[in-house]
Amino acid sequence: MATFEEFMKVAEISLKDKTSHARMNEIVRIMRQYKVLHGLTPAQAVEVLQALGPTYVKIGQLASNRSDLLPKAYCDAFEKLRDDANPMPFDVVIEQIDRAYGKSWHEVFASIDPVPLGAASIAQVHKATLLDGTTVAVKVRRPGVAESMAEDIMLMKHLLALGEFASNSHRSILLSLEGFVEEIERTTASEVNFTSELHNLMRFHDELADEEGVTSPVAYPQYSCESVLVMEFVQGTEISHTEELRQQGIDVNALARRVCQSYVTQVLDDGFFHADPHPGNILIRDGNVVWIDLGMVGTLTVSERMLVGKVFTAVATDNAYLLKEAVMGLVHVLGPVDHGALLEALSRLLAEYSTAEMKEINVGTVLTEVIEVLRGQNMMMTSSVTMLARGFVTIEGVIAQVAPDISVIEIVSKHVIAQQADPKFLATQLIDLATTSAASAEALAKLPTQLSNTLEMLDRGQIKVNGDIEVSSRILATAYASVGRISLATLSAGLFLGSSILCTTAMQPQLLGVPLLGVLGYVGAFVLGAYTVFHILVSRHRLLNNEEPR
């Protein structure tokens, strides 16, 4: 039965939702137009997502990284959704820029190239020149896209709230979908607001300053706002164009290793990483790596970075206990957890990789499988870790395409080992050890008092012990059958005794001088007794012959 909290949640969303009905009709119309119920080819699926709008294009982009859930043909097709969008007319672009600045674009730019460098579902990018002659890239948001995506997300929330209200079954699936919708809402909110991407660009550029041969575009905050972003123009070669890179005299193996090392550094050292590292977002300029498009980034706290490092160490060393300890700090617990079953599941997962060579282990796949194990135990990984898992799946795909012999897990393992020897890491470990030791000492000091109080309560009979014993279904079935036969035997004996008493009376009607009701009682007692004895003999025969009961 639905709870009052679920009822209030549906009521609150219904009051806020003013557009879902019209949007739902539009979605149904598009579904019918493309005959979705008859099945879709990968190309048709891309067309449907594009027709549904930017929110569903974003879902397709996220789905393109989930080769563990979708066939490869669909993942490859969804890759086209990243940059393969119909461009805005140039006059619309100019209109958006003028509206954002509140003045003519001529007061900011000397020129803007009418041919876009790239067009996506949320925005498109044009090459431009500032008044001082600096060449820049201008990212312009499509009109109405923020409102459209907000409507779609509200519709998804409404449907999920109704699903939770209507039924308690499949609760784990609903929670997973709710987490997915929350992630979509969070990522789209930052992507449609270019102020977030501006801050990401500035921070990312500063974080990469210490990495040799790795950088990102310089941002121009004085010319940027919520719907227009101005940044350094980067002209380079996509990392996936390996032949072109070789013609430029670049060692693609060394390049792939540098990209991978940079990504691991972002995750484990900076705690601020590119969440969409597909080939189009990694350009090579003069032999240097340039990370572009910081619309989607992930963040990890210091403690999360340490726990993620433990996860990598556990996978590399086949340590299920360390893996369980690490993941427990990275989850939201949604219900009861069977820790024994969790440890067993993680042990089985590691056993699958223990016989594989190091270079055959995919970090992203391992993280994704760990997330699935946790989901089966009423736990959900934090959004930053799920984003990290997708990021590693993507970057491993890039590395496999550029330099198949490079092992990401080896680079991760070496980085974790080197990090443990770093003075900053050691200081953090020492602080953690000191805190743990202080807590342990405090608990040890309280132990005698707690033990004395426990013994006193036990002496007074104030302690209760609750037990939860699981009995197999076969034992329960046997118990139920035994109780049933005892009941039948008792009923047969009761009928026999009752009939015997009736036969001593002159109750009418009679049959051959014996009360008819007594005769019927004797017959019933005989039938029940014979039935009970027959079943007991059959059960004994099956038990002696080791036959399954039916």
Side-chain angles (χ1 to χ4, degrees), residues 239-240 242 252-263 277 279 282 291 392-409 411:
I239 190 172
S240 59
T242 53
V252 293
N253 287 328
L255 182 66
R257 190 174 295 278
R258 191 193 313 164
V259 169
C260 185
Q261 183 61 61
S262 174
Y263 198 74
I282 308 174
W291 296 88
F392 263 112
V393 168
T394 306
I395 200 69
E396 284 180 316
V398 172
I399 300 301
Q401 184 178 0
V402 176
D405 294 332
I406 291 179
S407 169
V408 176
I409 188 65
I411 294 175

PDB file of all heavy atoms in Angstrom, residues 239-240 242 252-263 277 279 282 291 392-409 411:
ATOM      1  N   ILE A 239      42.260  12.332 -31.411  1.00  0.00           N
ATOM      2  CA  ILE A 239      43.199  11.288 -31.023  1.00  0.00           C
ATOM      3  C   ILE A 239      42.917   9.978 -31.747  1.00  0.00           C
ATOM      4  O   ILE A 239      43.811   9.136 -31.911  1.00  0.00           O
ATOM      5  CB  ILE A 239      43.172  11.083 -29.488  1.00  0.00           C
ATOM      6  CG1 ILE A 239      44.323  10.177 -29.059  1.00  0.00           C
ATOM      7  CG2 ILE A 239      41.827  10.527 -29.044  1.00  0.00           C
ATOM      8  CD1 ILE A 239      44.502  10.069 -27.577  1.00  0.00           C
ATOM      9  N   SER A 240      41.701   9.781 -32.214  1.00  0.00           N
ATOM     10  CA  SER A 240      41.353   8.535 -32.909  1.00  0.00           C
ATOM     11  C   SER A 240      41.890   8.487 -34.338  1.00  0.00           C
ATOM     12  O   SER A 240      41.924   7.419 -34.945  1.00  0.00           O
ATOM     13  CB  SER A 240      39.832   8.355 -32.920  1.00  0.00           C
ATOM     14  OG  SER A 240      39.208   9.456 -33.559  1.00  0.00           O
ATOM     15  N   THR A 242      44.605   8.025 -35.940  1.00  0.00           N
ATOM     16  CA  THR A 242      45.984   7.582 -35.686  1.00  0.00           C
ATOM     17  C   THR A 242      46.894   7.717 -36.900  1.00  0.00           C
ATOM     18  O   THR A 242      48.064   8.067 -36.760  1.00  0.00           O
ATOM     19  CB  THR A 242      45.969   6.111 -35.216  1.00  0.00           C
ATOM     20  OG1 THR A 242      45.243   5.319 -36.162  1.00  0.00           O
ATOM     21  CG2 THR A 242      45.300   5.986 -33.858  1.00  0.00           C
ATOM     22  N   VAL A 252      52.088   7.291 -31.317  1.00  0.00           N
ATOM     23  CA  VAL A 252      50.719   7.147 -30.798  1.00  0.00           C
ATOM     24  C   VAL A 252      50.684   6.337 -29.504  1.00  0.00           C
ATOM     25  O   VAL A 252      49.811   6.549 -28.658  1.00  0.00           O
ATOM     26  CB  VAL A 252      49.789   6.513 -31.858  1.00  0.00           C
ATOM     27  CG1 VAL A 252      49.596   7.452 -33.036  1.00  0.00           C
ATOM     28  CG2 VAL A 252      50.313   5.172 -32.321  1.00  0.00           C
ATOM     29  N   ASN A 253      51.619   5.392 -29.324  1.00  0.00           N
ATOM     30  CA  ASN A 253      51.659   4.631 -28.082  1.00  0.00           C
ATOM     31  C   ASN A 253      51.996   5.538 -26.899  1.00  0.00           C
ATOM     32  O   ASN A 253      51.345   5.484 -25.845  1.00  0.00           O
ATOM     33  CB  ASN A 253      52.680   3.492 -28.173  1.00  0.00           C
ATOM     34  CG  ASN A 253      52.203   2.362 -29.059  1.00  0.00           C
ATOM     35  OD1 ASN A 253      51.009   2.088 -29.152  1.00  0.00           O
ATOM     36  ND2 ASN A 253      53.122   1.693 -29.736  1.00  0.00           N
ATOM     37  N   ALA A 254      53.027   6.367 -27.072  1.00  0.00           N
ATOM     38  CA  ALA A 254      53.397   7.300 -26.005  1.00  0.00           C
ATOM     39  C   ALA A 254      52.267   8.303 -25.755  1.00  0.00           C
ATOM     40  O   ALA A 254      52.003   8.696 -24.607  1.00  0.00           O
ATOM     41  CB  ALA A 254      54.683   8.025 -26.370  1.00  0.00           C
ATOM     42  N   LEU A 255      51.594   8.695 -26.832  1.00  0.00           N
ATOM     43  CA  LEU A 255      50.490   9.641 -26.714  1.00  0.00           C
ATOM     44  C   LEU A 255      49.336   9.020 -25.918  1.00  0.00           C
ATOM     45  O   LEU A 255      48.773   9.660 -25.010  1.00  0.00           O
ATOM     46  CB  LEU A 255      50.014  10.043 -28.105  1.00  0.00           C
ATOM     47  CG  LEU A 255      48.881  11.069 -28.167  1.00  0.00           C
ATOM     48  CD1 LEU A 255      49.350  12.406 -27.638  1.00  0.00           C
ATOM     49  CD2 LEU A 255      48.365  11.195 -29.595  1.00  0.00           C
ATOM     50  N   ALA A 256      48.987   7.784 -26.252  1.00  0.00           N
ATOM     51  CA  ALA A 256      47.898   7.099 -25.539  1.00  0.00           C
ATOM     52  C   ALA A 256      48.239   6.924 -24.064  1.00  0.00           C
ATOM     53  O   ALA A 256      47.379   7.090 -23.188  1.00  0.00           O
ATOM     54  CB  ALA A 256      47.626   5.746 -26.187  1.00  0.00           C
ATOM     55  N   ARG A 257      49.497   6.609 -23.773  1.00  0.00           N
ATOM     56  CA  ARG A 257      49.917   6.450 -22.375  1.00  0.00           C
ATOM     57  C   ARG A 257      49.802   7.785 -21.626  1.00  0.00           C
ATOM     58  O   ARG A 257      49.390   7.821 -20.464  1.00  0.00           O
ATOM     59  CB  ARG A 257      51.355   5.924 -22.328  1.00  0.00           C
ATOM     60  CG  ARG A 257      51.821   5.496 -20.955  1.00  0.00           C
ATOM     61  CD  ARG A 257      53.195   4.863 -21.036  1.00  0.00           C
ATOM     62  NE  ARG A 257      53.169   3.624 -21.805  1.00  0.00           N
ATOM     63  CZ  ARG A 257      52.803   2.452 -21.303  1.00  0.00           C
ATOM     64  NH1 ARG A 257      52.432   2.368 -20.033  1.00  0.00           N
ATOM     65  NH2 ARG A 257      52.810   1.376 -22.055  1.00  0.00           N
ATOM     66  N   ARG A 258      50.152   8.886 -22.316  1.00  0.00           N
ATOM     67  CA  ARG A 258      50.066  10.195 -21.676  1.00  0.00           C
ATOM     68  C   ARG A 258      48.607  10.558 -21.384  1.00  0.00           C
ATOM     69  O   ARG A 258      48.279  11.106 -20.325  1.00  0.00           O
ATOM     70  CB  ARG A 258      50.700  11.261 -22.566  1.00  0.00           C
ATOM     71  CG  ARG A 258      50.883  12.604 -21.853  1.00  0.00           C
ATOM     72  CD  ARG A 258      51.200  13.715 -22.842  1.00  0.00           C
ATOM     73  NE  ARG A 258      52.240  13.326 -23.784  1.00  0.00           N
ATOM     74  CZ  ARG A 258      52.483  13.989 -24.913  1.00  0.00           C
ATOM     75  NH1 ARG A 258      51.764  15.041 -25.224  1.00  0.00           N
ATOM     76  NH2 ARG A 258      53.440  13.585 -25.736  1.00  0.00           N
ATOM     77  N   VAL A 259      47.722  10.260 -22.337  1.00  0.00           N
ATOM     78  CA  VAL A 259      46.291  10.539 -22.134  1.00  0.00           C
ATOM     79  C   VAL A 259      45.751   9.741 -20.961  1.00  0.00           C
ATOM     80  O   VAL A 259      45.033  10.265 -20.096  1.00  0.00           O
ATOM     81  CB  VAL A 259      45.493  10.223 -23.419  1.00  0.00           C
ATOM     82  CG1 VAL A 259      43.997  10.252 -23.143  1.00  0.00           C
ATOM     83  CG2 VAL A 259      45.848  11.210 -24.517  1.00  0.00           C
ATOM     84  N   CYS A 260      46.104   8.467 -20.921  1.00  0.00           N
ATOM     85  CA  CYS A 260      45.632   7.600 -19.834  1.00  0.00           C
ATOM     86  C   CYS A 260      46.176   8.075 -18.489  1.00  0.00           C
ATOM     87  O   CYS A 260      45.445   8.147 -17.492  1.00  0.00           O
ATOM     88  CB  CYS A 260      46.040   6.154 -20.110  1.00  0.00           C
ATOM     89  SG  CYS A 260      45.399   4.981 -18.904  1.00  0.00           S
ATOM     90  N   GLN A 261      47.465   8.412 -18.438  1.00  0.00           N
ATOM     91  CA  GLN A 261      48.073   8.895 -17.203  1.00  0.00           C
ATOM     92  C   GLN A 261      47.417  10.200 -16.753  1.00  0.00           C
ATOM     93  O   GLN A 261      47.179  10.417 -15.557  1.00  0.00           O
ATOM     94  CB  GLN A 261      49.576   9.113 -17.401  1.00  0.00           C
ATOM     95  CG  GLN A 261      50.318   9.552 -16.143  1.00  0.00           C
ATOM     96  CD  GLN A 261      50.225   8.521 -15.043  1.00  0.00           C
ATOM     97  OE1 GLN A 261      50.676   7.379 -15.199  1.00  0.00           O
ATOM     98  NE2 GLN A 261      49.628   8.900 -13.927  1.00  0.00           N
ATOM     99  N   SER A 262      47.098  11.056 -17.716  1.00  0.00           N
ATOM    100  CA  SER A 262      46.427  12.311 -17.383  1.00  0.00           C
ATOM    101  C   SER A 262      45.065  12.051 -16.762  1.00  0.00           C
ATOM    102  O   SER A 262      44.681  12.691 -15.774  1.00  0.00           O
ATOM    103  CB  SER A 262      46.281  13.172 -18.637  1.00  0.00           C
ATOM    104  OG  SER A 262      45.519  14.331 -18.372  1.00  0.00           O
ATOM    105  N   TYR A 263      44.325  11.089 -17.329  1.00  0.00           N
ATOM    106  CA  TYR A 263      42.996  10.795 -16.808  1.00  0.00           C
ATOM    107  C   TYR A 263      43.071  10.210 -15.397  1.00  0.00           C
ATOM    108  O   TYR A 263      42.287  10.582 -14.516  1.00  0.00           O
ATOM    109  CB  TYR A 263      42.262   9.832 -17.736  1.00  0.00           C
ATOM    110  CG  TYR A 263      40.767   9.826 -17.512  1.00  0.00           C
ATOM    111  CD1 TYR A 263      39.989  10.898 -17.942  1.00  0.00           C
ATOM    112  CD2 TYR A 263      40.138   8.780 -16.857  1.00  0.00           C
ATOM    113  CE1 TYR A 263      38.623  10.920 -17.732  1.00  0.00           C
ATOM    114  CE2 TYR A 263      38.777   8.790 -16.639  1.00  0.00           C
ATOM    115  CZ  TYR A 263      38.016   9.870 -17.080  1.00  0.00           C
ATOM    116  OH  TYR A 263      36.662   9.897 -16.854  1.00  0.00           O
ATOM    117  N   PRO A 277      35.076  11.618 -21.883  1.00  0.00           N
ATOM    118  CA  PRO A 277      36.356  11.631 -22.614  1.00  0.00           C
ATOM    119  C   PRO A 277      36.333  10.844 -23.924  1.00  0.00           C
ATOM    120  O   PRO A 277      37.206  10.008 -24.171  1.00  0.00           O
ATOM    121  CB  PRO A 277      37.314  11.003 -21.597  1.00  0.00           C
ATOM    122  CG  PRO A 277      36.461  10.014 -20.870  1.00  0.00           C
ATOM    123  CD  PRO A 277      35.086  10.634 -20.784  1.00  0.00           C
ATOM    124  N   PRO A 279      36.669  10.384 -28.112  1.00  0.00           N
ATOM    125  CA  PRO A 279      37.748  10.879 -28.991  1.00  0.00           C
ATOM    126  C   PRO A 279      37.578  12.311 -29.468  1.00  0.00           C
ATOM    127  O   PRO A 279      38.558  13.040 -29.623  1.00  0.00           O
ATOM    128  CB  PRO A 279      37.718   9.897 -30.167  1.00  0.00           C
ATOM    129  CG  PRO A 279      37.135   8.651 -29.616  1.00  0.00           C
ATOM    130  CD  PRO A 279      36.141   9.088 -28.588  1.00  0.00           C
ATOM    131  N   ILE A 282      39.218  14.916 -27.218  1.00  0.00           N
ATOM    132  CA  ILE A 282      40.658  14.839 -26.966  1.00  0.00           C
ATOM    133  C   ILE A 282      41.374  15.182 -28.272  1.00  0.00           C
ATOM    134  O   ILE A 282      41.445  14.366 -29.192  1.00  0.00           O
ATOM    135  CB  ILE A 282      41.081  13.437 -26.473  1.00  0.00           C
ATOM    136  CG1 ILE A 282      40.224  12.996 -25.278  1.00  0.00           C
ATOM    137  CG2 ILE A 282      42.562  13.425 -26.086  1.00  0.00           C
ATOM    138  CD1 ILE A 282      40.473  11.569 -24.834  1.00  0.00           C
ATOM    139  N   TRP A 291      42.369  18.717 -23.761  1.00  0.00           N
ATOM    140  CA  TRP A 291      41.033  18.256 -23.374  1.00  0.00           C
ATOM    141  C   TRP A 291      40.037  19.391 -23.628  1.00  0.00           C
ATOM    142  O   TRP A 291      40.219  20.501 -23.121  1.00  0.00           O
ATOM    143  CB  TRP A 291      40.998  17.884 -21.896  1.00  0.00           C
ATOM    144  CG  TRP A 291      41.865  16.725 -21.509  1.00  0.00           C
ATOM    145  CD1 TRP A 291      43.168  16.776 -21.137  1.00  0.00           C
ATOM    146  CD2 TRP A 291      41.478  15.360 -21.448  1.00  0.00           C
ATOM    147  NE1 TRP A 291      43.637  15.517 -20.841  1.00  0.00           N
ATOM    148  CE2 TRP A 291      42.615  14.624 -21.020  1.00  0.00           C
ATOM    149  CE3 TRP A 291      40.307  14.673 -21.693  1.00  0.00           C
ATOM    150  CZ2 TRP A 291      42.595  13.249 -20.852  1.00  0.00           C
ATOM    151  CZ3 TRP A 291      40.278  13.301 -21.524  1.00  0.00           C
ATOM    152  CH2 TRP A 291      41.410  12.602 -21.108  1.00  0.00           C
ATOM    153  N   PHE A 392      35.692   5.761 -17.376  1.00  0.00           N
ATOM    154  CA  PHE A 392      36.745   4.776 -17.622  1.00  0.00           C
ATOM    155  C   PHE A 392      36.380   3.846 -18.776  1.00  0.00           C
ATOM    156  O   PHE A 392      37.253   3.434 -19.542  1.00  0.00           O
ATOM    157  CB  PHE A 392      37.024   3.964 -16.356  1.00  0.00           C
ATOM    158  CG  PHE A 392      38.192   4.480 -15.571  1.00  0.00           C
ATOM    159  CD1 PHE A 392      38.010   5.068 -14.332  1.00  0.00           C
ATOM    160  CD2 PHE A 392      39.484   4.385 -16.062  1.00  0.00           C
ATOM    161  CE1 PHE A 392      39.083   5.562 -13.606  1.00  0.00           C
ATOM    162  CE2 PHE A 392      40.558   4.866 -15.353  1.00  0.00           C
ATOM    163  CZ  PHE A 392      40.364   5.463 -14.123  1.00  0.00           C
ATOM    164  N   VAL A 393      35.088   3.497 -18.894  1.00  0.00           N
ATOM    165  CA  VAL A 393      34.670   2.689 -20.047  1.00  0.00           C
ATOM    166  C   VAL A 393      35.005   3.417 -21.344  1.00  0.00           C
ATOM    167  O   VAL A 393      35.533   2.828 -22.302  1.00  0.00           O
ATOM    168  CB  VAL A 393      33.155   2.386 -19.973  1.00  0.00           C
ATOM    169  CG1 VAL A 393      32.660   1.802 -21.296  1.00  0.00           C
ATOM    170  CG2 VAL A 393      32.848   1.413 -18.839  1.00  0.00           C
ATOM    171  N   THR A 394      34.738   4.729 -21.373  1.00  0.00           N
ATOM    172  CA  THR A 394      34.996   5.524 -22.575  1.00  0.00           C
ATOM    173  C   THR A 394      36.487   5.663 -22.848  1.00  0.00           C
ATOM    174  O   THR A 394      36.940   5.454 -23.982  1.00  0.00           O
ATOM    175  CB  THR A 394      34.363   6.921 -22.427  1.00  0.00           C
ATOM    176  OG1 THR A 394      32.979   6.785 -22.102  1.00  0.00           O
ATOM    177  CG2 THR A 394      34.500   7.706 -23.715  1.00  0.00           C
ATOM    178  N   ILE A 395      37.266   6.016 -21.827  1.00  0.00           N
ATOM    179  CA  ILE A 395      38.693   6.252 -22.043  1.00  0.00           C
ATOM    180  C   ILE A 395      39.405   4.954 -22.408  1.00  0.00           C
ATOM    181  O   ILE A 395      40.357   4.954 -23.206  1.00  0.00           O
ATOM    182  CB  ILE A 395      39.341   6.918 -20.805  1.00  0.00           C
ATOM    183  CG1 ILE A 395      40.670   7.598 -21.182  1.00  0.00           C
ATOM    184  CG2 ILE A 395      39.587   5.913 -19.694  1.00  0.00           C
ATOM    185  CD1 ILE A 395      40.501   8.802 -22.042  1.00  0.00           C
ATOM    186  N   GLU A 396      38.945   3.832 -21.863  1.00  0.00           N
ATOM    187  CA  GLU A 396      39.549   2.552 -22.236  1.00  0.00           C
ATOM    188  C   GLU A 396      39.245   2.218 -23.696  1.00  0.00           C
ATOM    189  O   GLU A 396      40.082   1.623 -24.388  1.00  0.00           O
ATOM    190  CB  GLU A 396      39.055   1.446 -21.307  1.00  0.00           C
ATOM    191  CG  GLU A 396      39.727   1.486 -19.940  1.00  0.00           C
ATOM    192  CD  GLU A 396      39.237   0.396 -19.009  1.00  0.00           C
ATOM    193  OE1 GLU A 396      38.023   0.165 -18.938  1.00  0.00           O
ATOM    194  OE2 GLU A 396      40.072  -0.226 -18.333  1.00  0.00           O
ATOM    195  N   GLY A 397      38.036   2.610 -24.148  1.00  0.00           N
ATOM    196  CA  GLY A 397      37.723   2.424 -25.561  1.00  0.00           C
ATOM    197  C   GLY A 397      38.621   3.257 -26.445  1.00  0.00           C
ATOM    198  O   GLY A 397      39.062   2.805 -27.508  1.00  0.00           O
ATOM    199  N   VAL A 398      38.928   4.470 -26.015  1.00  0.00           N
ATOM    200  CA  VAL A 398      39.826   5.347 -26.771  1.00  0.00           C
ATOM    201  C   VAL A 398      41.229   4.744 -26.822  1.00  0.00           C
ATOM    202  O   VAL A 398      41.852   4.660 -27.894  1.00  0.00           O
ATOM    203  CB  VAL A 398      39.873   6.751 -26.137  1.00  0.00           C
ATOM    204  CG1 VAL A 398      40.947   7.613 -26.801  1.00  0.00           C
ATOM    205  CG2 VAL A 398      38.515   7.426 -26.237  1.00  0.00           C
ATOM    206  N   ILE A 399      41.729   4.303 -25.655  1.00  0.00           N
ATOM    207  CA  ILE A 399      43.079   3.736 -25.584  1.00  0.00           C
ATOM    208  C   ILE A 399      43.166   2.467 -26.428  1.00  0.00           C
ATOM    209  O   ILE A 399      44.152   2.238 -27.142  1.00  0.00           O
ATOM    210  CB  ILE A 399      43.472   3.441 -24.128  1.00  0.00           C
ATOM    211  CG1 ILE A 399      43.446   4.721 -23.291  1.00  0.00           C
ATOM    212  CG2 ILE A 399      44.842   2.784 -24.053  1.00  0.00           C
ATOM    213  CD1 ILE A 399      44.361   5.806 -23.780  1.00  0.00           C
ATOM    214  N   ALA A 400      42.118   1.639 -26.380  1.00  0.00           N
ATOM    215  CA  ALA A 400      42.122   0.398 -27.164  1.00  0.00           C
ATOM    216  C   ALA A 400      42.145   0.693 -28.664  1.00  0.00           C
ATOM    217  O   ALA A 400      42.730  -0.063 -29.441  1.00  0.00           O
ATOM    218  CB  ALA A 400      40.891  -0.435 -26.810  1.00  0.00           C
ATOM    219  N   GLN A 401      41.525   1.795 -29.058  1.00  0.00           N
ATOM    220  CA  GLN A 401      41.490   2.165 -30.472  1.00  0.00           C
ATOM    221  C   GLN A 401      42.834   2.727 -30.941  1.00  0.00           C
ATOM    222  O   GLN A 401      43.282   2.451 -32.053  1.00  0.00           O
ATOM    223  CB  GLN A 401      40.388   3.205 -30.692  1.00  0.00           C
ATOM    224  CG  GLN A 401      40.180   3.610 -32.140  1.00  0.00           C
ATOM    225  CD  GLN A 401      39.047   4.609 -32.292  1.00  0.00           C
ATOM    226  OE1 GLN A 401      38.413   5.002 -31.322  1.00  0.00           O
ATOM    227  NE2 GLN A 401      38.795   5.022 -33.521  1.00  0.00           N
ATOM    228  N   VAL A 402      43.505   3.476 -30.066  1.00  0.00           N
ATOM    229  CA  VAL A 402      44.759   4.139 -30.442  1.00  0.00           C
ATOM    230  C   VAL A 402      45.958   3.225 -30.245  1.00  0.00           C
ATOM    231  O   VAL A 402      46.822   3.109 -31.119  1.00  0.00           O
ATOM    232  CB  VAL A 402      44.932   5.443 -29.633  1.00  0.00           C
ATOM    233  CG1 VAL A 402      46.278   6.106 -29.950  1.00  0.00           C
ATOM    234  CG2 VAL A 402      43.780   6.398 -29.916  1.00  0.00           C
ATOM    235  N   ALA A 403      46.015   2.569 -29.071  1.00  0.00           N
ATOM    236  CA  ALA A 403      47.168   1.716 -28.742  1.00  0.00           C
ATOM    237  C   ALA A 403      46.671   0.495 -27.980  1.00  0.00           C
ATOM    238  O   ALA A 403      46.631   0.500 -26.746  1.00  0.00           O
ATOM    239  CB  ALA A 403      48.202   2.493 -27.917  1.00  0.00           C
ATOM    240  N   PRO A 404      46.249  -0.565 -28.683  1.00  0.00           N
ATOM    241  CA  PRO A 404      45.619  -1.719 -28.039  1.00  0.00           C
ATOM    242  C   PRO A 404      46.491  -2.429 -27.013  1.00  0.00           C
ATOM    243  O   PRO A 404      45.959  -3.112 -26.127  1.00  0.00           O
ATOM    244  CB  PRO A 404      45.316  -2.651 -29.229  1.00  0.00           C
ATOM    245  CG  PRO A 404      45.355  -1.790 -30.436  1.00  0.00           C
ATOM    246  CD  PRO A 404      46.333  -0.705 -30.147  1.00  0.00           C
ATOM    247  N   ASP A 405      47.803  -2.300 -27.097  1.00  0.00           N
ATOM    248  CA  ASP A 405      48.683  -3.031 -26.184  1.00  0.00           C
ATOM    249  C   ASP A 405      48.838  -2.354 -24.827  1.00  0.00           C
ATOM    250  O   ASP A 405      49.424  -2.943 -23.902  1.00  0.00           O
ATOM    251  CB  ASP A 405      50.078  -3.193 -26.817  1.00  0.00           C
ATOM    252  CG  ASP A 405      50.039  -4.083 -28.059  1.00  0.00           C
ATOM    253  OD1 ASP A 405      49.142  -4.950 -28.114  1.00  0.00           O
ATOM    254  OD2 ASP A 405      50.879  -3.904 -28.949  1.00  0.00           O
ATOM    255  N   ILE A 406      48.342  -1.156 -24.664  1.00  0.00           N
ATOM    256  CA  ILE A 406      48.483  -0.440 -23.392  1.00  0.00           C
ATOM    257  C   ILE A 406      47.386  -0.882 -22.431  1.00  0.00           C
ATOM    258  O   ILE A 406      46.209  -0.937 -22.789  1.00  0.00           O
ATOM    259  CB  ILE A 406      48.434   1.078 -23.619  1.00  0.00           C
ATOM    260  CG1 ILE A 406      49.689   1.532 -24.357  1.00  0.00           C
ATOM    261  CG2 ILE A 406      48.311   1.830 -22.294  1.00  0.00           C
ATOM    262  CD1 ILE A 406      49.729   3.006 -24.643  1.00  0.00           C
ATOM    263  N   SER A 407      47.779  -1.209 -21.199  1.00  0.00           N
ATOM    264  CA  SER A 407      46.840  -1.655 -20.176  1.00  0.00           C
ATOM    265  C   SER A 407      46.534  -0.505 -19.221  1.00  0.00           C
ATOM    266  O   SER A 407      47.429   0.027 -18.560  1.00  0.00           O
ATOM    267  CB  SER A 407      47.425  -2.835 -19.394  1.00  0.00           C
ATOM    268  OG  SER A 407      46.643  -3.122 -18.255  1.00  0.00           O
ATOM    269  N   VAL A 408      45.273  -0.125 -19.155  1.00  0.00           N
ATOM    270  CA  VAL A 408      44.869   0.960 -18.262  1.00  0.00           C
ATOM    271  C   VAL A 408      45.040   0.554 -16.803  1.00  0.00           C
ATOM    272  O   VAL A 408      45.487   1.349 -15.977  1.00  0.00           O
ATOM    273  CB  VAL A 408      43.407   1.370 -18.542  1.00  0.00           C
ATOM    274  CG1 VAL A 408      42.936   2.424 -17.549  1.00  0.00           C
ATOM    275  CG2 VAL A 408      43.269   1.886 -19.970  1.00  0.00           C
ATOM    276  N   ILE A 409      44.710  -0.701 -16.475  1.00  0.00           N
ATOM    277  CA  ILE A 409      44.806  -1.146 -15.080  1.00  0.00           C
ATOM    278  C   ILE A 409      46.252  -1.125 -14.592  1.00  0.00           C
ATOM    279  O   ILE A 409      46.522  -0.841 -13.427  1.00  0.00           O
ATOM    280  CB  ILE A 409      44.187  -2.562 -14.913  1.00  0.00           C
ATOM    281  CG1 ILE A 409      44.107  -2.963 -13.442  1.00  0.00           C
ATOM    282  CG2 ILE A 409      44.973  -3.590 -15.697  1.00  0.00           C
ATOM    283  CD1 ILE A 409      43.187  -2.137 -12.610  1.00  0.00           C
ATOM    284  N   ILE A 411      48.564   1.051 -15.572  1.00  0.00           N
ATOM    285  CA  ILE A 411      48.864   2.456 -15.310  1.00  0.00           C
ATOM    286  C   ILE A 411      48.217   2.901 -14.007  1.00  0.00           C
ATOM    287  O   ILE A 411      48.827   3.607 -13.190  1.00  0.00           O
ATOM    288  CB  ILE A 411      48.392   3.328 -16.488  1.00  0.00           C
ATOM    289  CG1 ILE A 411      49.212   3.002 -17.739  1.00  0.00           C
ATOM    290  CG2 ILE A 411      48.492   4.812 -16.156  1.00  0.00           C
ATOM    291  CD1 ILE A 411      48.749   3.727 -18.991  1.00  0.00           C
TER     292      ILE A 411
END
